[in-house]
Amino acid sequence: MSPTLRLAQELIARPSYQDPEPVLQYVVQVLDFLPWERQPLEGGQYNLLYLPQGARVVVNTHVDTVPPLTMPEAFRPRLVQGRLYGRGAVDTKGLLAALLAATREVYQQQGRLDVGLALTVDEENYTARGSQALAGLLRQRGVAQVLVLEPTWGRICTRQYGSLEFEVEVETPVYHAGTLSRAVHPVRLLMDYVRAVEQATGLAVNIFRLESGWEHYATPPSARLLAEIALPVGTDWQAVEAHLERMARQPPFVPYVRYRRVEAEAPVDFGNPPLAQWLAQAYQQALGEYPRFDVMPTWTDAANFAKAGLSCVIFGFGDLAVAHSEREYITLEELERNRRVLHTLWT
């Protein structure tokens, strides 16, 4: 069994969707030769940092995961036909395992590690307090570039989608179900609103939660939707929001539909930072092939680093599509490719 696989199994077996402490303690145990420091956060949690003096580059990943959700035995790592299954396998404990393995190897060979490490918490809870706090500290310490480890299918991403998260509530008069043809049904109206938004913006609406209905033989009085629109680079979220607000004021949606923004994040473009070129060279040297450059199609902690004026590259082998699902996995090949690229990047 490879050391990277063993590390990944140990990390998966330590649940961190509520309390990341067991994972952070394990990291300190594995890399006990590094002088770690804690960055305290509200609520008793903390970021775990190794920031050597003069480090201009820091490697970051989050140690928390989503809950088990629909995944059975989520914290029992299972190896099936070259795939390691478990909650966090690809997002991002497999990448963290590769980071730990590469760090240990480099330190054993060179007796030092010049790149910084920053393990953050709270990324999966929609607050991202860890990276928010870390961003300011890195700027104070003179760090210029951050390698954010996330599953990108092994592509080097220097751009990231933005997002507009919003709620829509519909309230309508109640009608006897036998007179549906006369009723304004809140769920049907809500779906019509979503389709109208997609047609007007050309962007897909990702529905997170839809609440409505009752067991009585009548149309429900209300419906509520929590949703998100992913924003490609170059998209103005305020212009997209203007469409949503304008439609809520037009027939057939007025006076039933109310729109409320939950959160908005502009797309990010880091250009072509030196770190991207160093990573591409390490990738080519380690794997004998040239990497693809791409756009990260979802939010990552890089957004908070960008707000602090730091430049980022988002990278990691693994299939983002299976993250958060009941079939989350990372392949043995992806584990080792992650380790080899990181090892080469530092040597």
Side-chain angles (χ1 to χ4, degrees):
M1 179 184 297
S2 75
T4 312
L5 173 58
R6 170 56 65 186
L7 289 167
Q9 291 175 325
E10 292 289 343
L11 290 167
I12 291 170
R14 291 166 167 79
S16 56
Y17 67 98
Q18 291 178 318
D19 181 11
E21 179 70 17
V23 169
L24 295 174
Q25 288 181 349
Y26 181 68
V27 169
V28 172
Q29 174 186 335
V30 172
L31 302 183
D32 59 357
F33 47 85
L34 294 179
W36 293 100
E37 61 177 293
R38 296 185 178 189
Q39 182 186 23
L41 305 173
E42 291 183 8
Q45 293 189 352
Y46 61 91
N47 294 328
L48 185 64
L49 313 175
Y50 165 68
L51 299 176
Q53 188 171 5
R56 300 284 292 169
V57 175
V58 163
V59 182
N60 161 256
T61 196
H62 62 88
V63 299
D64 60 316
T65 71
V66 296
L69 302 177
T70 57
M71 189 173 209
E73 299 184 289
F75 308 111
R76 183 176 69 85
R78 301 175 302 284
L79 188 60
V80 181
Q81 296 181 340
R83 294 177 173 182
L84 177 63
Y85 288 86
R87 178 58 76 230
V90 75
D91 188 15
T92 62
K93 290 182 175 180
L95 309 186
L96 176 57
L99 175 63
L100 299 182
T103 299
R104 193 162 55 186
E105 292 171 358
V106 171
Y107 196 88
Q108 289 172 348
Q109 294 169 2
Q110 300 182 349
R112 69 181 196 281
L113 184 70
D114 298 326
V115 68
L117 307 178
L119 307 183
T120 45
V121 300
D122 203 41
E123 193 266 358
E124 298 288 11
N125 289 325
Y126 299 102
T127 53
R129 293 179 302 126
S131 59
Q132 286 177 0
L134 176 63
L137 177 63
L138 294 183
R139 187 175 177 87
Q140 293 174 9
R141 299 283 183 94
V143 173
Q145 301 180 91
V146 182
L147 175 57
V148 179
L149 298 182
E150 290 278 1
T152 66
W153 302 276
R155 301 166 190 171
I156 296 176
C157 298
T158 58
R159 294 176 293 166
Q160 174 178 293
Y161 270 48
S163 65
L164 175 61
E165 186 176 348
F166 59 94
E167 284 185 341
V168 178
E169 186 170 7
V170 179
E171 292 186 352
T172 58
V174 173
Y175 280 75
H176 186 281
T179 61
L180 178 61
S181 61
R182 297 172 52 188
V184 179
H185 196 291
V187 176
R188 295 168 67 96
L189 189 63
L190 192 54
M191 292 299 97
D192 288 343
Y193 177 80
V194 168
R195 283 190 288 268
V197 166
E198 291 184 328
Q199 185 175 4
T201 64
L203 301 171
V205 175
N206 184 12
I207 298 173
F208 295 142
R209 187 176 67 242
L210 175 61
E211 300 172 348
S212 186
W214 52 11
E215 68 276 14
H216 307 292
Y217 198 66
T219 61
S222 64
R224 179 176 298 174
L225 180 80
L226 175 65
E228 177 195 63
I229 295 178
L231 306 174
V233 174
T235 305
D236 181 357
W237 70 262
Q238 292 173 315
V240 175
E241 181 173 70
H243 282 290
L244 276 75
E245 292 177 325
R246 183 165 54 251
M247 285 185 181
R249 298 192 298 266
Q250 295 176 347
F253 308 116
V254 65
Y256 309 110
V257 173
R258 291 196 300 273
Y259 164 85
R260 183 183 74 85
R261 183 198 329 140
V262 175
E263 188 175 19
E265 288 279 354
V268 181
D269 188 344
F270 293 102
N272 188 25
L275 178 58
Q277 298 309 309
W278 300 337
L279 182 59
Q281 293 169 6
Y283 186 113
Q284 192 170 18
Q285 182 179 345
L287 305 179
E289 57 191 82
Y290 197 75
R292 285 182 57 185
F293 284 74
D294 209 340
V295 182
M296 187 62 172
T298 187
W299 189 94
T300 74
D301 283 320
N304 284 334
F305 301 137
K307 293 173 185 176
L310 306 176
S311 187
C312 293
V313 175
I314 309 160
F315 172 78
F317 287 96
D319 185 359
L320 178 64
V322 300
H324 301 187
S325 75
E326 76 284 350
R327 62 193 185 281
E328 182 174 1
Y329 71 87
I330 191 168
T331 68
L332 298 184
E333 180 183 7
E334 288 164 344
L335 284 172
E336 290 307 316
R337 285 165 76 87
N338 274 304
R339 180 195 60 79
R340 288 166 62 188
V341 171
L342 290 173
H343 180 274
T344 305
L345 182 63
W346 299 336
T347 55

